[in-house]
Amino acid sequence: MNAKTLLGMDLPALRGLAEEFGEPSYRGLQLFESLYKQRVEDVAQISTLPSSLRAKLASDGYSLGAPRIDSKFQSIDGTVRYLIACSDGQTVESVWMPEGDGGESADGTEAGDEIDTPSRSRRRATICISSQIGCAVDCQFCLTALLGVKRNLSVGEIVGQVGAILRDQQVSPPEDRVNLVFMGMGEPFLNYDNFMKAVRLLVEGVGIPESRMTVSTAGIVPRIFDFGAEPVRPKLAISLNASNDVLRTELMPINRKWDLRALIDAARAFPLRPRERLTFEYVLLDGKNDSPENAREVAQWIRGLRAKVNLIALNPGPGIGFQTPSQERVETFQKILRDADIPTFVRRPRGRDIYAACGQLKRTIELIGPSEITLEKQT
Ligand code: SAH
């Protein structure tokens, strides 16, 4: 990877860079705006800078370092899965879900809190982005786990996924309402510093409010505490996925390190903002973790927390040894939680036909029959 990449640098760093080149520090602000507000695709497009400075940046080895769209797959439900290439040739996946919440909040409510009147000309969508190439957490029901972890994404590569998709879809926050979920490939809390730096640039530079962002963790407990202390942070979702330690350790080996007691204690200690709720995600695996008894155990853990539960019926995939439960089992599970006064919603799968749904991101085109997709090679 090129260490001298501009994308990912914050305003103080860009001001410092300008000064290093003997330029006034306001050039740093111009760089910042070009990178994050205008979202230029290369240094030559930064028209506010004198061409001498652009030349100096280039001769000193600076490049933009923006990841590029390699290909995209369009689902019948409007979801688009992007395969995005980093400068070292590694690829990562991000997902565009037009209209509303993309099933993230699952209950039809918006991710943010402000009320506004949607205008016909403005777009709403949710973008799901990745934090690592592959994943080390090894959850038994998730396709990304089959890759193992290749490396962390840099700050620029995290922000750059959003930039590339906004450009491709021709939308621009804050006028267009964009929700962001850090729920793609990887475990954001195992790439914590880059993830948080990216969040700050997305808020301050790109203009997506933190109230429209949600990060999901498999349960890296010490980072949940760090995250709670952040002055600017997305909302928190926790992948619960099992109702007791025996089951959770089998499905999510990370549970050996931080068990349910530790996880729920961290959730209880998490400082919520006014009106904010935690989300617990629970992937339902037929006959494995989806019985009425499992639902009652979940209710025990969550009781008294300001939280909601998003149920996700398993999105299947090759090499995943579990089945999707019937609608009836999902509804029974939901009813038990609701009867225990826990707001519980069923997340609507998006882009299953193109392997874009939760747990299906695996950087592959081989997985899918060509008849099921529209593949658009970018040039
Ligand atoms: N690593 C983080 C971020 C990924 S979020 C985390 O685990 O939270 C992706 C969500 O999809 C998680 O809640 C995960 O439990 C869920 N998931 C994984 N595989 C799935 C599958 N095959 N079907 C449905 N949901 C799945």
Side-chain angles (χ1 to χ4, degrees):
M1 260 198 309
N2 186 351
K4 290 185 162 183
T5 53
L6 296 171
L7 199 68
M9 289 174 80
D10 62 10
L11 184 54
L14 291 167
R15 283 195 205 279
L17 183 68
E19 282 165 9
E20 229 177 85
F21 280 94
E23 296 280 338
S25 80
Y26 71 80
R27 295 282 182 220
L29 182 60
Q30 291 177 325
L31 269 165
F32 185 82
E33 307 234 295
S34 321
L35 293 173
Y36 305 111
K37 289 207 164 42
Q38 258 178 275
R39 296 181 287 278
V40 295
E41 283 180 282
D42 76 65
V43 178
Q45 287 177 359
I46 311 180
S47 52
T48 46
L49 293 189
S51 56
S52 58
L53 178 55
R54 273 179 272 164
K56 265 194 271 177
L57 283 168
S59 67
D60 215 57
Y62 279 95
S63 67
L64 202 65
R68 284 178 196 281
I69 296 168
D70 179 273
S71 40
K72 53 180 191 177
F73 307 86
Q74 172 91 45
S75 165
I76 45 169
D77 68 16
T79 299
V80 182
R81 178 167 63 101
Y82 286 90
L83 188 67
I84 293 188
C86 302
S87 48
D88 64 352
Q90 295 275 9
T91 52
V92 82
E93 295 191 342
S94 322
V95 183
W96 164 264
M97 292 166 277
E99 297 303 320
D101 64 12
E104 191 289 316
S105 63
D107 52 1
T109 60
E110 295 297 332
D113 348 83
E114 74 263 48
I115 299 163
D116 65 7
T117 333
S119 101
R120 210 178 293 277
S121 58
R122 287 301 175 185
R123 313 263 309 270
R124 303 166 168 214
T126 297
I127 299 175
C128 174
I129 60 174
S130 295
S131 54
Q132 297 182 304
I133 297 185
C135 189
V137 179
D138 204 24
C139 301
Q140 298 300 297
F141 41 79
C142 180
L143 274 184
T144 307
L146 301 177
L147 295 171
V149 68
K150 309 273 190 250
R151 65 170 173 84
N152 280 336
L153 292 180
S154 66
V155 180
E157 288 165 342
I158 297 174
V159 177
Q161 293 169 63
V162 179
I165 294 179
L166 292 177
R167 250 194 325 269
D168 190 59
Q169 295 287 340
Q170 298 178 338
V171 295
S172 197
E175 295 78 19
D176 295 303
R177 191 144 88 185
V178 173
N179 297 320
L180 208 60
V181 297
F182 294 87
M183 297 189 181
M185 297 166 75
E187 168 50 49
F189 283 7
L190 290 179
N191 186 15
Y192 186 81
D193 291 345
N194 288 353
F195 151 70
M196 276 310 304
K197 282 184 194 152
V199 163
R200 291 187 282 268
L201 291 174
L202 288 161
V203 173
E204 294 159 15
V206 179
I208 303 176
E210 62 189 295
S211 60
R212 299 210 162 279
M213 300 182 186
T214 305
V215 62
S216 178
T217 179
I220 313 298
V221 167
R223 294 294 85 74
I224 294 178
F225 286 98
D226 294 342
F227 186 64
E230 296 286 353
V232 173
R233 61 156 180 84
K235 293 184 288 183
L236 179 64
I238 295 175
S239 296
L240 191 64
N241 295 341
S243 60
N244 60 64
D245 278 315
V246 174
L247 193 54
R248 195 163 190 273
T249 299
E250 184 188 337
L251 297 174
M252 301 178 72
I254 191 105
N255 195 66
R256 271 196 203 99
K257 198 148 182 186
W258 296 289
D259 64 9
L260 276 169
R261 181 77 272 152
L263 186 59
I264 299 298
D265 284 350
R268 284 193 193 282
F270 192 77
L272 292 166
R273 296 179 281 238
R275 288 188 302 151
E276 187 184 5
R277 282 188 298 185
L278 284 173
T279 300
F280 287 96
E281 297 146 292
Y282 196 100
V283 182
L284 292 165
L285 312 169
D286 190 37
K288 189 72 193 172
N289 68 351
D290 67 339
S291 70
E293 179 55 22
N294 293 133
R296 283 187 283 272
E297 284 179 335
V298 169
Q300 289 295 332
W301 286 113
I302 294 181
R303 186 157 292 150
L305 272 164
R306 210 190 321 151
K308 64 172 172 167
V309 173
N310 278 355
L311 300 174
I312 320 172
L314 177 78
N315 294 310
I320 299 298
F322 300 104
Q323 305 299 316
T324 309
S326 66
Q327 182 72 16
E328 196 189 333
R329 280 182 81 84
V330 175
E331 280 167 13
T332 304
F333 200 98
Q334 180 183 27
K335 182 165 189 315
I336 292 168
L337 289 176
R338 286 196 162 170
D339 288 348
D341 285 331
I342 298 167
T344 305
F345 309 94
V346 180
R347 191 184 287 176
R348 165 173 56 110
R350 297 292 303 260
R352 259 192 196 170
D353 57 333
I354 52 158
Y355 278 84
C358 306
Q360 293 189 310
L361 300 184
K362 197 182 170 281
R363 304 192 299 168
T364 45
I365 50 172
E366 312 90 79
L367 284 172
I368 311 157
S371 58
E372 293 173 61
I373 58 159
T374 318
L375 171 59
E376 220 179 274
K377 259 292 185 209
Q378 309 280 300
T379 44

